[in-house]
Amino acid sequence: MSRRTKAVIGLGAVVAIAAGVTAAAFTDFANLNLGANGIGADQYNIQVVDTDPVTGAQIPGSWQEADTPAGAPIELVGANTLFPGSTPISVDIPVRNASATLNSTLSLGLMQLPDTATDITDPNYLASLRFTITQPATSLGATPISVTDQTYAQLSTLALNGLAAGEQSDVTIEVRLLTQAESGSTYTDNDLNGSKAYIQAQFNGTSTP
């Protein structure tokens, strides 16, 4: 082998080694997961106090969804003895924003339950009912809520004080039945004897940041 050939081979070996050294660069990387807990809000949920499915008696400290059209019963002491001019009856209803991070608006609406074969709402009786709604101030509403002697029709939607994440509040519903003298109706007090109204209180909320 000539000296020139050896020199070329030797140069090739040097070049190959040099090229190998150049290709062996250092590498590194960094990964960031978007959102400390992923992307998407935590579960938003409005709940009301749990109640006995038969008697409607409240179960303090326990909560329920009551998110079906049928709803859940809640006891209204004195409902079966309410007559025109009698003492108003009331119920305090605990409601809470069960979300861990989302604030919530809150509203209350009264709805008439569909008539059944045995449970029929008398329109005159319903028209003679008056409702008073109260709620204390909350962290999102500095002014207590108080509306007095509202008709069923007037309470299709009532804005309440909102609830911060994890906050709960009591909403009081007071009910009384007007006398004929108060209502000025054409039907007498005795015309309402044996009549009833079947009403559902619906709490609604919308999540806010």
Side-chain angles (χ1 to χ4, degrees), residues 84-179:
S86 64
T87 302
I89 58 177
S90 66
V91 58
D92 296 330
I93 304 176
V95 56
R96 76 167 178 174
N97 175 8
S99 170
T101 58
L102 296 172
N103 295 336
S104 176
T105 65
L106 189 66
S107 66
L108 170 67
L110 298 186
M111 300 176 59
Q112 181 182 331
L113 288 168
D115 289 341
T116 67
T118 56
D119 300 338
I120 300 173
T121 293
D122 181 273
N124 291 335
Y125 192 94
L126 183 62
S128 294
L129 289 173
R130 293 295 181 270
F131 302 88
T132 294
I133 311 296
T134 57
Q135 181 198 20
T138 66
S139 60
L140 299 182
T143 304
I145 299 294
S146 180
V147 295
T148 305
D149 267 357
Q150 301 290 290
T151 65
Y152 163 79
Q154 289 174 312
L155 289 175
S156 59
T157 302
L158 173 66
L160 299 174
N161 285 323
L163 300 175
E167 185 176 16
Q168 71 178 68
S169 180
D170 283 352
V171 177
T172 300
I173 301 178
E174 182 183 278
V175 187
R176 73 186 189 98
L177 186 62
L178 300 181
T179 64

Side-chain angles (χ1 to χ4, degrees), residues 17-49:
I17 294 172
V21 171
T22 302
F26 294 111
T27 63
D28 196 4
F29 62 90
N31 294 329
L32 292 175
N33 300 327
L34 299 182
N37 296 296
I39 299 175
D42 291 329
Q43 184 179 24
Y44 169 69
N45 193 10
I46 292 293
Q47 296 179 326
V48 291
V49 65

Side-chain angles (χ1 to χ4, degrees), residues 55-56 74-80 82 89-91 173-175:
T55 66
I74 188 165
E75 185 179 27
L76 180 58
V77 176
N80 60 345
L82 190 65
I89 58 177
S90 66
V91 58
I173 301 178
E174 182 183 278
V175 187

